[in-house]
Amino acid sequence: MNKINNMLLNNEISATTANALLYGCKVCLGAIRVDDQQAKINELERAIKELEVDGKKYF
């Protein structure tokens, strides 16, 4: 993202191109965050199942 901003400041790319590239970066970042959140949810669900013995919850 810094490289894109620097290229824009140095007039190496247009503002339209910079916007398109930065939008693509934002979409990728959002996908990574969702994936990380899902991994944490899965980990919590496994931990809860470990606390359940014979249908009884120990928490």
Side-chain angles (χ1 to χ4, degrees):
M1 292 172 61
N2 286 335
K3 184 172 182 173
I4 295 168
N5 286 326
N6 286 333
M7 291 173 71
L8 179 61
L9 290 172
N10 294 328
N11 293 317
E12 296 172 4
I13 59 174
S14 69
T16 303
T17 300
N19 282 335
L21 291 170
L22 291 172
Y23 176 76
C25 291
K26 182 179 177 181
V27 169
C28 290
L29 181 59
I32 292 169
R33 286 184 179 154
V34 168
D35 188 48
D36 287 344
Q37 288 174 345
Q38 187 60 51
K40 289 177 183 178
I41 289 169
N42 293 343
E43 184 179 339
L44 289 170
E45 287 175 342
R46 278 192 300 275
I48 289 171
K49 286 179 183 178
E50 288 176 7
L51 295 174
E52 295 177 358
V53 178
D54 296 327
K56 295 180 182 177
K57 297 179 181 180
Y58 293 92
F59 54 93

